[in-house]
Amino acid sequence: MGEFIYTNFFINLDISNYLKIKDKIPKKVNLLAVSKGFNCEDIKTIYHLGQKCFGESKFQEAYVKQSTLKHFRDIEWHFIGRLQTNKIRKIVKNFQYIHSVDSFEKLEKISNASLEENKNPSIMLQVKLSNDPTKAGFNSKILLEKWDLMKKFRNVNIKGLMTINPKGLSSQENKVLFRKCRRLADLIDLQDCSMGMSGDWEEAIGSGATWIRLGSIIFGER
């Protein structure tokens, strides 16, 4: 592992905002605190308020935090970034959840690595529900065609679907896409939907999210 120089872009951790959000979230919805770009002290602050699930999108940055915070044994690390094939084994070894599995081939590689490393990560299959060239993911047709094969992969626990809406949508447009994700998950009998971020989390909850991924609204702007 090469040396990683970590720069903190933290401006203002809003503890009161975090507590207000936690109070508004239904019990069936899980809050994933997206800690990418913020330092270990920021993580520890909300950890001591009861937050246990943290999301990272860059392996090297996350590995430094995981090593520093290894004595906090009940922290649950979630990988939410785009998966690079050459990082899959490292991610399998160091993350309990992977939210961004965007292809059949990557799921197969995760399964193989998990079997060899004696791991069993929880998986969210990323779906692409709009014509946004900046987003990756299964389209609905491919997901349904491959579903029976994906269910047979060993050492992966497929828990649900994940989606990221394009920027600039209205509240109603966000709801339409979130509801598509929820219906698709229900169709293949998956419990979880990881959807909704700092700008659209309330629409996501109203549309059936079981995980919301919040970063700047908790930690401040990067």
Side-chain angles (χ1 to χ4, degrees):
M1 179 67 61
E3 181 180 1
F4 176 70
I5 300 173
Y6 179 69
T7 303
N8 177 29
F9 296 99
F10 166 77
I11 296 177
N12 183 32
L13 173 57
D14 193 338
I15 293 174
S16 63
N17 208 34
Y18 168 77
L19 293 174
K20 289 176 184 176
I21 291 169
K22 283 286 288 183
D23 190 55
K24 291 179 70 174
I25 295 173
K27 290 184 179 180
K28 65 179 180 179
V29 177
N30 302 284
L31 170 57
L32 180 62
V34 178
S35 48
K36 64 176 183 179
F38 300 100
N39 68 23
C40 291
E41 292 304 312
D42 303 331
I43 293 173
K44 287 196 290 187
T45 296
I46 62 169
Y47 169 87
H48 289 302
L49 295 173
Q51 181 65 35
K52 299 298 189 291
C53 301
F54 292 89
E56 294 285 334
S57 63
K58 296 180 179 179
F59 174 77
Q60 198 170 4
E61 176 186 333
Y63 185 80
V64 172
K65 295 175 186 177
Q66 290 170 345
S67 299
T68 303
L69 299 170
K70 61 184 178 182
H71 52 294
F72 295 103
R73 296 186 181 275
D74 57 345
I75 286 182
E76 186 175 85
W77 294 101
H78 295 233
F79 189 81
I80 61 172
R82 184 164 293 191
L83 285 170
Q84 295 176 290
T85 301
N86 64 342
K87 293 290 198 310
I88 282 177
R89 185 174 298 274
K90 293 177 180 179
I91 291 167
V92 163
K93 290 172 67 175
N94 290 280
F95 288 84
Q96 293 97 323
Y97 264 81
I98 307 174
H99 285 239
S100 47
V101 181
D102 58 14
S103 73
F104 180 88
E105 292 75 18
K106 288 178 184 176
L107 182 63
E108 185 175 28
K109 290 181 183 298
I110 290 169
S111 173
N112 292 337
S114 298
L115 187 61
E116 293 168 3
E117 299 292 342
N118 195 29
K119 296 289 186 178
N120 189 26
S122 294
I123 300 296
M124 303 286 188
L125 301 173
Q126 184 172 350
V127 292
K128 182 175 179 177
L129 302 173
S130 65
N131 294 321
D132 184 347
T134 68
K135 302 294 186 297
F138 291 91
N139 67 44
S140 301
K141 181 181 178 182
I142 296 297
L143 177 67
L144 294 174
E145 287 177 353
K146 297 285 190 179
W147 178 235
D148 285 339
L149 291 174
M150 290 192 287
K151 288 190 294 183
K152 296 177 182 178
F153 284 138
R154 299 171 62 188
N155 286 65
V156 289
N157 182 16
I158 304 176
K159 301 279 287 185
L161 304 181
M162 184 273 266
T163 195
I164 305 172
N165 282 0
K167 295 180 180 179
L169 299 184
S170 68
S171 177
Q172 185 57 36
E173 289 169 331
N174 278 319
K175 289 177 182 177
V176 167
L177 292 180
F178 289 144
R179 288 169 184 161
K180 283 184 179 180
C181 186
R182 181 69 265 173
R183 287 195 297 269
L184 186 57
D186 291 342
L187 182 62
I188 55 177
D189 199 27
L190 290 175
Q191 177 180 344
D192 286 326
C193 279
S194 171
M195 56 189 192
M197 299 189 292
S198 290
D200 55 18
W201 63 274
E202 290 179 285
E203 291 96 328
I205 289 176
S207 303
T210 59
W211 284 92
I212 55 172
R213 309 180 304 273
L214 304 185
S216 60
I217 198 171
I218 295 173
F219 290 104
E221 296 298 328
R222 293 178 179 84

